[in-house]
Amino acid sequence: VDSGQDSLLWSWWPDLLYLSDRRLLCCFFCANDYADLKGEVAVHASLLGSRFVVAPSRNPFAMATVYSGDDGEGRKEWFNGNSHAYAVCGYEPGARHPDCGDFEDEAAR
């Protein structure tokens, strides 16, 4: 996680497993392509083994305003709500990381 705050990922983890295991169509929207999109796609592809039904791409209906600034460590950052979108539906069992388990697995909750 680019922000160094991976607690957000782990707070979503049981929900992501549930949605993936139930093979529900899920659309996700990201605020930028250098951290949010890159990190979320990595989680879906390398951990969950998600089936992408809409490839990550720029969303033509992004918010009208863009925040840009400094992250406090001298790096430039920008955020534009809903700037990128993608959709997944279920997962490929052979592509899921072996340590992920599934939603029914008590350790995954």
Side-chain angles (χ1 to χ4, degrees):
V1 177
D2 194 57
S3 68
Q5 298 178 9
D6 59 345
S7 62
L8 183 59
L9 164 63
W10 299 122
S11 72
W12 275 88
W13 187 249
D15 299 313
L16 292 171
L17 281 174
Y18 177 85
L19 295 167
S20 178
D21 288 348
R22 299 303 183 279
R23 290 169 169 63
L24 298 171
L25 176 63
C26 300
C27 298
F28 294 92
F29 299 88
C30 305
N32 60 54
D33 61 353
Y34 63 88
D36 290 358
L37 184 64
K38 188 166 87 174
E40 289 180 28
V41 168
V43 167
H44 280 283
S46 63
L47 296 178
L48 290 166
S50 298
R51 288 186 185 130
F52 286 83
V53 294
V54 175
S57 60
R58 186 167 293 280
N59 179 7
F61 305 104
M63 291 183 173
T65 59
V66 176
Y67 164 82
S68 62
D70 189 305
D71 69 356
E73 295 181 16
R75 295 180 296 187
K76 297 291 182 191
E77 62 183 3
W78 65 271
F79 303 99
N80 177 223
N82 302 325
S83 66
H84 291 77
Y86 61 95
V88 297
C89 188
Y91 69 99
E92 296 289 342
R96 182 170 275 185
H97 193 280
D99 293 333
C100 287
D102 58 30
F103 183 74
E104 303 304 327
D105 180 5
E106 190 67 32
R109 286 191 238 166

